[in-house]
Amino acid sequence: MPTNLESMRPQSWQGIDDIVIVGGGLAGLFCALKLAPRPVTVLAAAPIGQGASSAWAQGGIAAAMSPGDSFDKHLADTVAAGAGLVEEKMARLMISEGPDRVHDLLAYGVPFDRDLEGHLLLSREAAHSERRIVRVAGDRAGGAIMEALISAVRRTPSIRVMEGYVVEELIAEGRFVSGVIARPDAGQSKTRVAFPARAVVLCSGGVGHLYQVTTNPAEARGTGVGMAARAGAVIADPEFVQFHPTAIDIGQDPAPLATEALRGEGAVLVNRAGHRFMADLHADAELAPRDIVARGVFAEVAAGRGAFLDCTRAIGKDFARRFPTVHASCIAAGIDPATQAIPVVPAVHYHMGGVAVDADGRSSLDGLWAAGEVTSSGVHGANRLASNSLLEAIVFAGRIADSIKGMLPESALYEWAKSAGENDDLVTVEDSPELKTLRGLMSSHAGVVRDEAGLKLLIRELVGLERKRPRVRFSNIVATAKLIAVGAYLRTESRGAHMRSDHPASQATLRHRTYLTLKQTDRIAAELAG
């Protein structure tokens, strides 16, 4: 459970960190820059940029910036993809602030693609009615954005970056979060460090590595959601896990991604017999919403027919120039995408659920803000529209910065010191057999297609795993897995990314968001576990 300050010994800090940001991805770094010149501490488990899904994003940022586009069109596409659960006021807010945040990124040095006249070059992705994806070198948006932000952060004296600090717990006193506890040396130190703070901003990423096949970096294990839930925060929509339809199926962990932009440029999905199966399933074929395409690919793979992304006609000999990241992944696996179809499989790509936040990124706990994939702001509903994720990260990170500056007066105390407490909780979670078991269970029973029997079995097994390994970092992971499983169990319908084979239709009575606390989740899990 959350650690009280008094349990940490000895307490040796001289002052209190004004603001602590957990996570060195897009949301965390953008928030830090927007808070400047106010001092902030960024705690990152890996060197900034290396452990963040943001750096791997290929498509880009969705923003209504072309002459023929509008905020209303972007909102309509977002609402349609979200399958009835999008909070329209929140989505409109995000969309309307998008162009300004793109200009912020330009000011930080992000080299977005431009045409010969210097205008931003916009592309189209699935379920978008207009070309509104701002990209870099075709498929390098995430990496280029992160490179520019890292450079800006390094130049900003008010930002202190602490790399190799794995945050394990929130310091909570009642409903107030007053800091975090982290383990240095990439989580391998035998002692832990307390960072008291007047504001904690959680930007810790997603949940991909709760599953066997994912496009996310290894750090995306749902620990942020778990920490917040264990501190008492409300978690929203945990059952909605988005599977990217076209991870490259070459046995790598994480799986390389074949960006959706390829389908936007005309690539088609075929099975081993060469049949274009998505044309049978949706009027938009390969450009249908991601959940529909993911289920189509899953069905072909499950039936033994295989699924392949054929780019040979749409892109062909220009592949290496237009999509260098995907090209490199294919060539390394012995596939020439200019002349050969790419084997693909659905992979966990994004979590629509997470810490429930308001329009300023505030959680249900005082002192705790959150931004990025760790949150559920309601802008994605049951199924995220392509490239709205980076948009959400920068918009709400910026709003958090404004909120904190408006709510907290400047402090004169910026000294910091370590408060090391002895702790025997040193574990290598990444290599534990329990985590491998959990990933297999989640993929089997809370994957692309779910049912009641499988979810009940999963919940019982998760309770058993938690009892077997009652360690703080693993408890964070299991907490998030339980929230996903219980949310999926309670939603007895199919909607967006959540597919129940035993409840294949959507229900009007369930057209609402899910809100759970860990206490509620544990009570349901205990009942099912017997």
Side-chain angles (χ1 to χ4, degrees), residues 84-376:
L85 296 191
V86 170
E87 297 280 359
E88 292 195 29
K89 289 184 179 179
M90 293 283 278
R92 181 176 290 278
L93 178 152
M94 174 186 75
I95 289 163
S96 65
E97 294 187 7
D100 287 341
R101 300 293 79 77
V102 169
H103 285 295
D104 286 339
L105 292 176
L106 286 167
Y108 289 132
V110 177
F112 287 121
D113 293 345
R114 297 179 183 270
D115 61 22
L116 294 177
E117 296 179 348
H119 302 123
L120 288 174
L121 197 60
L122 304 173
S123 64
R124 186 185 173 202
E125 290 185 354
H128 286 273
S129 59
E130 298 287 341
R131 300 180 74 90
R132 65 168 67 98
I133 313 304
V134 187
R135 298 192 297 176
V136 180
D139 60 5
R140 285 202 65 249
I145 292 169
M146 288 301 293
E147 287 171 10
L149 292 190
I150 290 168
S151 178
V153 164
R154 300 290 192 203
R155 297 192 306 267
T156 305
S158 61
I159 301 173
R160 180 183 58 169
V161 178
M162 308 282 286
E163 295 167 302
Y165 279 75
V166 176
V167 177
E168 296 183 341
E169 295 183 85
L170 300 176
I171 299 172
E173 298 177 284
R175 291 183 49 79
F176 189 78
V177 172
S178 55
V180 303
I181 297 173
R183 195 183 295 276
D185 302 329
Q188 298 305 302
S189 174
K190 293 183 178 180
T191 59
R192 304 200 297 172
V193 179
F195 291 85
R198 304 170 74 205
V200 173
V201 184
L202 196 59
C203 303
S204 53
V207 304
H209 276 260
L210 298 183
Y211 290 80
Q212 282 182 320
V213 183
T214 178
T215 62
N216 295 172
E219 288 77 10
R221 298 187 205 96
T223 55
V225 171
M227 282 189 291
R230 291 176 65 233
V234 173
I235 307 301
D237 301 336
E239 65 270 34
F240 294 112
V241 179
Q242 186 173 73
F243 289 78
H244 197 290
T246 55
I248 305 174
D249 189 16
I250 52 178
Q252 288 187 17
D253 183 23
L257 178 65
T259 175
E260 201 159 272
L262 292 164
R263 285 175 280 137
E265 295 299 318
V268 296
L269 284 162
V270 298
N271 60 22
R272 193 169 283 107
H275 176 63
R276 188 182 173 191
F277 56 86
M278 281 309 303
D280 302 333
L281 303 177
H282 196 276
D284 292 332
E286 288 80 10
L287 294 181
R290 279 183 174 174
D291 60 303
I292 295 172
V293 182
R295 287 196 287 274
V297 172
F298 177 80
E300 295 299 309
V301 173
R305 294 185 290 268
F308 303 84
L309 185 64
D310 188 348
C311 312
T312 56
R313 292 187 180 179
I315 300 162
K317 63 182 180 180
D318 290 333
F319 205 112
R321 178 182 61 82
R322 294 175 62 187
F323 299 96
T325 305
V326 181
H327 184 266
S329 296
C330 290
I331 293 298
I335 302 166
D336 181 359
T339 60
Q340 297 173 275
I342 305 167
V344 293
V345 66
V348 174
H349 188 59
Y350 191 84
H351 190 206
M352 279 75 71
V355 179
V357 294
D358 67 9
D360 292 323
R362 291 176 296 202
S363 76
S364 59
L365 300 178
D366 293 334
L368 179 66
W369 285 258
E373 193 174 351
V374 73
T375 70
S376 183

